[in-house]
Amino acid sequence: MNIEQTRFNMVAQQIRTWYVLDDNVLDLLYKLKREEFVPAENREMAFVDMEIPLGHGQVMLTPKMEARILQELHIKKTDKILEVGSGSGYMTALLADRGAHVYSVEIIPELKAMAENNLKAHNITNVTVEQGDAARGWAKHEPYDVIVLTASTPVLPDAFQKSLNPGGRLFAITGEDPVMEAVLITCTAPGEFTTKKLFETSTAPLINAQQPARFTF
């Protein structure tokens, strides 16, 4: 397998066709080698349009999802970023390349270690990986310019919006199967927000994600 040809095909056939046309994002996908963040036993799936198992019931998002998130957030070099769910560290690395510093919170110790090892191997130093449960917010380093939830949440806790700086952007996948929606929320002024619906999708929820109130008799 010619790995660079396969990478090119991934970008041309999966990512560009999903409305990711920002040259800076596309260039980064060529520079940052996705396969080096995939567990060895699944490395041959690194460029496939599918979620890759990481163990512990967790997955890497699809390549096109990672790229689309990056494009929609319009990250600046001065941005302080919160990532909820470190996974393998690949999305973390993409965010770190674009922003000033990433605080990435992972609830599973083994995945925290995996992300830290992968980031260290690529000499990515503007990331702090912390172990904890950030499914309902992570006030420790707020306010943030960018927040990314890498898994879905049936209900989006208000704490995330309250953690945004004016001008800050939040990406989240909200709802439950069969209808989940990716949204981009922007803080237009203190306490004021706009929501842009991006696309429908489906992915596993965050561990301990906030649930909707259930009606009981």
Side-chain angles (χ1 to χ4, degrees), residues 25 49 51-52 74 84 101 105 109 119 129 133 137-139 143 149 166 174 176 199 210:
V25 172
D49 183 17
E51 294 181 337
I52 296 175
H74 296 289
V84 180
H101 196 91
V105 186
L119 293 163
V129 184
D133 181 358
W138 194 254
L149 277 59
T174 62
E176 298 176 282
F199 50 85
Q210 185 169 327

Side-chain angles (χ1 to χ4, degrees), residues 46-119:
F47 306 115
V48 179
D49 183 17
M50 64 175 287
E51 294 181 337
I52 296 175
L54 296 175
H56 311 280
Q58 305 303 299
V59 297
M60 283 181 76
L61 294 170
T62 63
K64 67 185 182 186
M65 180 76 81
E66 294 163 338
R68 185 74 179 271
I69 292 170
L70 208 60
Q71 176 175 271
E72 295 289 350
L73 286 168
H74 296 289
I75 297 169
K76 303 185 289 292
K77 277 295 182 186
T78 53
D79 282 345
K80 181 168 69 169
I81 302 168
L82 170 66
E83 179 189 39
V84 180
S86 311
S88 73
Y90 184 65
M91 189 76 219
T92 322
L94 294 174
L95 295 167
D97 183 88
R98 311 294 294 150
H101 196 91
V102 180
Y103 294 96
S104 186
V105 186
E106 174 56 57
I107 194 170
I108 298 170
E110 292 85 351
L111 295 186
K112 174 182 182 284
M114 179 195 296
E116 285 180 315
N117 290 337
N118 285 336
L119 293 163

